[in-house]
Amino acid sequence: MFRRRKRSQGDFAEELQAHLALEEDQLRESGMSEEEAMAGARRNLGNMTQARERFYEAHRWLWLDYLIQDLRYGLRQLRRNPGFAAVAVITLALGIGATTAIFSVVNAVLLKPLPYPHPQQLVEVWRTHGRGWVGSVSIPDLKDWQEQNTVFQGISAYSSARFNLRSKSAPQTVSGAYVSANFFTVMQVAPLLGRGFVQGEDVPGRNHVVVLGYGLWQSRFGGERDLAGQNIRLNGDTYTVVGVMPRGFSYPIAAAQVWLPLTPEPAELRRDAHDFLAVGRVKPGVSIDQARTQLNGVSARLAHAYPETDDGLGALLIPLKSAQVGRIRGSLLILFGVVGFVFLLACADVSVFLLSRAAARRREIAVRLALGASRMRLGRQFFAENLLLAFGGAALAVLTARWSVEGIVALGSRYFSDPGIIRPDDRVLGFTLAVAVLAAVLLTVMVALTAARVNVQETMKEGAQTVAGGRALVRRQRILVIVQIAAALPLIIGAGAMVESLESLSRIDPGFNPNHVLTMQVSLSPVKYNSHHPASALFQPALERIEGLPGVRAAAVITYLPMQQVGTNSRFQVEGRPKLPEADEPWAEVRAISPDYYRVMEIRLLRGRWFTDADNATSPEVAVVNRTFVNRYFPNEDVLGKQIEFADEQHWATIVGVVMDSRQAGLGLPARPEADIPYTQSHWIYLTSTMSLAVRTSGNPLAMARTVEQAVYSVDPDQGVFGVRTMNSIIGETEAHQQFVMWLLGLFSSLALVLAATGLFGQLSYTVTERTHEIGVRMAFGANRADVVRLVIGQGAKLAVLGMAIGLGASFALLRLVANQLYGVKSASPLVIALAVASLGAATLLACYIPARRATKVDPIVALRYE
């Protein structure tokens, strides 16, 4: 303001001199002397002080002066009512804080661009099938896509993996990926130290180079600046470090810290070996639809050239951002909408209190109007006061944002791939300020509508009845309360539906017994364990030592444990049946297991037999299938003794047993056709590079973890073990999404319930105050305290019933929005609805009882003299 004032005074001097010069010239032309013209010009211009003030009033920032004055006045008003100010600020902080916390997650997960140059050009590339399948790509098809397109800057293949890093104590298992030589070029991320891969380093003999992640470089190698060029031991072999990636780069998996050149095995170079994922970068100005169309054109030519393997195959391009956001997008948008309701409820709550306060200030408003203040001017005053409340709530919300965001991340820790990126930043702060301003605007609108209806003459009359002037205000308060209750009920019912959904999931039989089962993953070195040196050299003695441990009942290995939502789809042929086109071939989830796996998981045998130690690499291949496999492909046949050949194994296997279905993909998903083969007869395990160890214990599984790890290390000191969990925790992770939504929806619905009850309490408290005279008259004419309680509670009950009636209709709309988040629940059960209505009814009853109790303490003699 001071700088503006100085600049205005300088401008005034220049304009004054211009006016004086013009006036003097005109007077000289009329025949006056120079002295007379100067004196006449000053006389005609008038008082210099008044001219200066007029100039200043016309040019300075009056709106800023008024705002500062209004803020000072509003601050004085709030100081006179510290209780009201504290309640309003805390209420707004609840609404603004909930909105800010969820927006922090939305901002980090949905709005922030990926940490790569031009991330909008990055896409995941998948193959599609004529029957709607979506899957990984083969190396030959990928090379043809690369060579025959004109819309991509590059396409890179990758395969995630685990690596055993040699350590002085126990080996360290780190996450990473095998990637094409052009991977870092496609991502356009330069290493912090050294270089990425160059062409030719993805062929045998030149592929013993590695790029490390920033975190591993810091934690394991102490941030050595000269690490590039040094050798490290990975998977029992020597690799030369050629580069270190910058902080934050971890694609294609969240914890990637090691990248090795992708060097496919001969079996992986078949056109029908769809074993790899791909990421591509389209050229600037090329849309994803254009790129997809061209790749589909290339696929059509490949289908014509290779009908046996590529018939019906196409391409699907998914923006990398969309692929990484995944399923959480819908949940976050739903939660963001829910907290929007909570924010509006908080504003409605404060509006009820402000309307009561405005009623008490009607005489002040009438006086100001009588003295000439415009209603617009009063509106600015109310806005300044409400802005102070809103900014106070926003400040409290920002101060607690870190803890609220940490709480949300803790609830969704199993679901967020990188919780570290979810934290408040400048965009969140700007959003919080915008929400605070919006809250101030909404509150001002409600209060200004009341002020606009103040009748100056009636209000200024001495002894005017308060209730007469407050009827319109009471109606608005009641409408706000009805809206609050109507908005709170759907949130409570939605939270109840989520609980019901999780209860339905928990009742599903997974097909095995997860109790007392310890699991961990073992990363196999492809150098040490391969078709020439089988993995049984590690697992057979390790399993024998584990089963000999006290407290261990059985131990086994498997390629993929149930409930991990991953597996291997393999096509197969049935002996004696005509060979079908690839699009029509039957398929199954194939797992390689050790003989005691069914005993560890307590999976029931329906027909035939389990595997034994005699089913080894030198014996005829065998397989055990599940009931869904039989029902789908052999519905009216005896499946035992049938011969099947898996595309990935290329050996005929005899079906020797049928077991109960187990939920491989999750509790909420139906069982799939599954076929198990002995791990000693499968070459595919050497391509997965990771096996899972399952141990059934008689006591606490986690108490056995260290002992089991040592048993593995005793067989191979270089062998890494990671991912130690119980089977129950794995099942819990499949429900993490529903639990995350349920807890947050329950938290926000509880907050909405409190706000609705608080709003009803505020409205009834104001009504009791307004009707003090009436209550006194009633009590003077014989009404007892029970009658007064029924009167007040009856008024609140009418509002609650009307609000809940409206809320029941809105709850069905909310359930349709969250239907894809629920399992086995299409609409809330009568019990859930009844419990929601009962909880909201109990809260409103408590909110009614307190003002009713206060009403019974009215002294009729004092009340008859009221006003």
Side-chain angles (χ1 to χ4, degrees):
M1 283 298 299
F2 178 73
R3 292 179 180 176
R4 180 67 182 180
R5 187 184 302 273
K6 287 186 65 177
R7 187 160 54 248
S8 297
Q9 289 174 350
D11 294 341
F12 168 75
E14 294 178 2
E15 187 170 337
L16 178 63
Q17 291 299 326
H19 279 290
L20 285 173
L22 179 61
E23 190 71 20
E24 288 178 13
D25 290 341
Q26 292 177 350
L27 292 176
R28 284 198 200 97
E29 291 177 358
S30 64
M32 289 186 179
S33 65
E34 183 174 349
E35 290 78 7
E36 291 175 339
M38 183 178 297
R42 291 180 179 276
R43 187 170 53 254
N44 292 340
L45 193 60
N47 186 279
M48 292 297 101
T49 301
Q50 294 179 354
R52 183 179 290 106
E53 289 300 322
R54 287 196 302 270
F55 177 88
Y56 179 61
E57 292 290 333
H59 290 81
R60 68 175 177 170
W61 291 350
L62 291 180
W63 64 269
L64 185 57
D65 282 347
Y66 291 150
L67 178 61
I68 293 176
Q69 293 173 10
D70 291 340
L71 289 174
R72 289 174 178 172
Y73 180 78
L75 189 59
R76 290 196 300 269
Q77 289 289 328
L78 295 179
R79 284 177 180 174
R80 294 174 185 172
N81 299 275
F84 161 76
V87 171
V89 167
I90 293 174
T91 303
L92 288 174
L94 291 175
I96 297 174
T99 310
T100 298
I102 292 297
F103 180 78
S104 297
V105 182
V106 171
N107 175 54
V109 177
L110 301 184
L111 301 182
K112 277 188 176 179
L114 297 174
Y116 315 120
H118 310 293
Q120 71 281 0
Q121 298 175 355
L122 290 171
V123 294
E124 286 193 353
V125 184
W126 296 79
R127 71 175 175 94
T128 60
H129 201 281
R131 292 193 297 179
W133 292 357
V134 177
S136 49
V137 302
S138 68
I139 293 297
D141 285 342
L142 184 62
K143 287 184 177 179
D144 288 331
W145 280 349
Q146 291 173 326
E147 294 171 357
Q148 300 182 36
N149 87 84
T150 60
V151 293
F152 279 88
Q153 291 180 322
I155 305 176
S156 176
Y158 66 85
S159 176
S160 59
R162 296 274 184 170
F163 302 97
N164 297 321
L165 180 62
R166 184 67 178 267
S167 175
K168 293 180 180 180
S169 54
Q172 179 182 355
T173 301
V174 294
S175 301
Y178 292 98
V179 298
S180 301
N182 67 337
F183 174 76
F184 298 110
T185 303
V186 169
M187 301 304 296
Q188 292 187 359
V189 179
L192 179 66
L193 293 179
R195 61 173 176 83
F197 302 134
V198 297
Q199 201 66 32
E201 287 184 335
D202 54 355
V203 297
R206 297 184 57 191
N207 61 342
H208 279 226
V209 291
V210 61
V211 174
L212 301 180
Y214 183 90
L216 184 64
W217 175 54
Q218 291 289 326
S219 62
R220 183 62 185 273
F221 301 100
E224 296 180 26
R225 303 295 299 182
D226 57 348
L227 182 63
Q230 297 185 25
N231 293 333
I232 62 173
R233 296 281 292 180
L234 282 174
N235 290 340
D237 209 346
T238 302
Y239 288 82
T240 301
V241 178
V242 297
V244 175
M245 297 306 294
R247 183 198 297 267
F249 183 83
S250 62
Y251 190 77
I253 57 177
Q257 290 295 302
V258 171
W259 293 268
L260 268 63
L262 177 62
T263 309
E265 298 289 333
E268 296 173 318
L269 294 175
R270 301 196 318 266
R271 193 169 289 274
D272 61 345
H274 302 102
D275 298 324
F276 300 97
L277 303 176
V279 60
R281 180 179 289 275
V282 298
K283 292 180 178 179
V286 176
S287 69
I288 293 179
D289 289 337
Q290 290 174 321
R292 182 187 302 113
T293 300
Q294 187 169 113
L295 285 193
N296 281 327
V298 176
S299 299
R301 293 195 293 272
L302 295 177
H304 181 73
Y306 310 100
E308 293 185 358
T309 58
D310 283 26
D311 186 35
L313 297 186
L316 174 65
L317 274 59
I318 303 176
L320 191 58
K321 179 69 175 181
S322 299
Q324 293 195 347
V325 167
R327 190 181 176 188
I328 193 68
R329 177 186 180 88
S331 300
L332 287 180
L333 293 179
I334 289 174
L335 290 173
F336 193 60
V338 169
V339 297
F341 273 104
V342 173
F343 166 72
L344 293 178
L345 287 175
C347 292
D349 236 11
V350 177
S351 295
V352 171
F353 297 129
L354 285 174
L355 290 176
S356 302
R357 188 163 174 264
R361 297 175 63 185
R362 279 199 300 272
R363 191 172 186 83
E364 172 199 339
I365 294 171
V367 170
R368 297 185 67 178
L369 290 172
L371 292 176
S374 67
R375 298 187 186 272
M376 181 63 70
R377 182 68 184 84
L378 288 178
R380 290 201 303 267
Q381 175 62 53
F382 294 141
F383 176 74
E385 295 178 16
N386 295 330
L387 195 64
L388 289 172
L389 294 175
F391 279 175
L396 187 58
V398 170
L399 290 176
T400 60
R402 189 183 72 179
W403 292 280
S404 57
V405 170
E406 287 178 355
I408 292 175
V409 171
L411 289 175
S413 59
R414 296 174 175 175
Y415 202 76
F416 298 118
S417 59
D418 187 10
I421 67 172
I422 303 175
R423 55 182 180 271
D425 56 12
D426 292 342
R427 180 182 293 177
V428 174
L429 179 61
F431 173 82
T432 305
L433 293 177
V435 171
V437 173
L438 176 61
V441 171
L442 294 176
L443 297 176
T444 302
V445 169
M446 293 302 302
V447 178
L449 287 176
T450 300
R453 293 176 177 269
V454 170
N455 189 309
V456 176
Q457 294 181 351
E458 292 293 329
T459 305
M460 296 293 290
K461 288 180 180 178
E462 184 178 359
Q465 291 296 320
T466 306
V467 71
R471 288 174 182 171
L473 183 146
V474 171
R475 283 197 298 270
R476 293 192 192 92
Q477 287 183 326
R478 290 177 177 175
I479 292 173
L480 287 173
V481 170
I482 292 172
V483 170
Q484 286 180 294
I485 295 174
L489 185 60
L491 300 184
I492 301 172
I493 292 177
M498 289 298 302
V499 174
E500 193 175 16
S501 173
L502 284 174
E503 178 65 21
S504 298
L505 279 175
S506 66
R507 290 196 299 265
I508 296 175
D509 181 10
F512 56 89
N513 181 9
N515 299 320
H516 298 287
V517 175
L518 175 71
T519 72
M520 57 188 68
Q521 292 181 281
V522 180
S523 179
L524 294 175
S525 167
V527 176
K528 182 176 291 188
Y529 300 105
N530 48 54
S531 57
H532 303 292
H533 185 221
S536 57
L538 167 66
F539 290 124
Q540 186 171 342
L543 290 175
E544 291 175 356
R545 297 185 186 190
I546 293 171
E547 289 181 334
L549 295 173
V552 173
R553 296 170 55 188
V557 292
I558 183 174
T559 47
Y560 293 110
L561 287 165
M563 314 300 294
Q564 291 187 316
Q565 299 183 352
V566 294
T568 304
N569 289 340
S570 179
R571 296 172 284 105
F572 65 89
Q573 294 289 334
V574 180
E575 186 181 32
R577 294 182 182 178
K579 182 175 177 60
L580 300 173
E582 183 180 353
D584 300 321
E585 283 183 338
W587 64 275
E589 292 276 0
V590 181
R591 302 180 299 177
I593 65 173
S594 62
D596 281 342
Y597 171 74
Y598 299 117
R599 191 157 65 94
V600 171
M601 304 301 292
E602 296 184 0
I603 297 176
R604 186 158 56 95
L605 180 69
L606 300 179
R607 279 179 285 169
R609 68 173 178 87
W610 288 329
F611 297 141
T612 66
D613 291 334
D615 299 314
N616 53 41
T618 60
S619 64
E621 283 79 4
V622 293
V624 172
V625 298
N626 68 344
R627 185 166 60 180
T628 297
F629 183 100
V630 175
N631 292 340
R632 181 174 297 185
Y633 301 123
F634 300 91
N636 300 310
E637 302 178 52
D638 183 8
V639 72
L640 298 180
K642 296 292 185 181
Q643 295 274 322
I644 56 177
E645 181 187 43
F646 294 105
D648 294 321
E649 295 291 343
Q650 296 184 329
H651 292 287
W652 289 99
T654 302
I655 298 176
V656 297
V658 179
V659 295
M660 190 70 179
D661 287 340
S662 60
R663 303 281 177 147
Q664 183 71 13
L667 288 176
L669 299 174
R672 301 175 179 180
E674 294 177 11
D676 299 333
I677 56 178
Y679 82 101
T680 53
Q681 296 181 352
S682 172
H683 81 279
W684 184 80
I685 63 173
Y686 306 113
L687 304 181
T688 63
S689 75
T690 301
M691 294 284 285
S692 294
L693 181 64
V695 181
R696 177 164 290 278
T697 65
S698 55
N700 180 11
L702 292 177
M704 299 291 300
R706 185 59 182 168
T707 308
V708 172
E709 289 181 19
Q710 290 298 329
V712 177
Y713 295 148
S714 66
V715 179
D716 185 352
D718 293 330
Q719 184 57 58
V721 177
F722 63 98
V724 178
R725 294 172 295 177
T726 65
M727 197 65 222
N728 279 322
S729 69
I730 293 177
I731 293 178
E733 289 176 5
T734 65
E735 303 173 6
H737 178 264
Q738 290 89 343
Q739 290 176 348
F740 173 70
V741 177
M742 181 199 71
W743 282 109
L744 288 183
L745 193 57
L747 175 64
F748 295 138
S749 62
S750 300
L751 184 56
L753 186 148
V754 172
L755 292 174
T758 305
L760 181 59
F761 167 79
Q763 195 279 326
L764 290 178
S765 296
Y766 174 75
T767 300
V768 168
T769 302
E770 290 287 285
R771 300 181 67 178
T772 299
H773 182 79
E774 175 191 344
I775 292 172
V777 171
R778 288 175 179 268
M779 297 183 71
F781 278 92
N784 55 35
R785 294 189 173 185
D787 295 329
V788 174
V789 170
R790 281 195 297 269
L791 174 67
V792 177
I793 292 181
Q795 290 180 349
K798 291 178 183 178
L799 300 179
V801 169
L802 183 57
M804 286 189 282
I806 298 173
L808 280 176
S811 64
F812 295 108
L814 177 64
L815 287 176
R816 282 196 294 270
L817 286 176
V818 301
N820 61 339
Q821 313 291 332
L822 305 177
Y823 174 80
V825 179
K826 293 184 178 179
S827 61
S829 66
L831 178 61
V832 169
I833 295 176
L835 290 175
V837 171
S839 62
L840 186 56
T844 55
L845 181 63
L846 179 62
C848 295
Y849 177 74
I850 297 175
R853 180 73 179 272
R854 184 159 60 88
T856 61
K857 299 182 181 300
V858 171
D859 187 340
I861 297 177
V862 175
L864 291 175
R865 295 200 305 266
Y866 192 69
E867 293 191 295

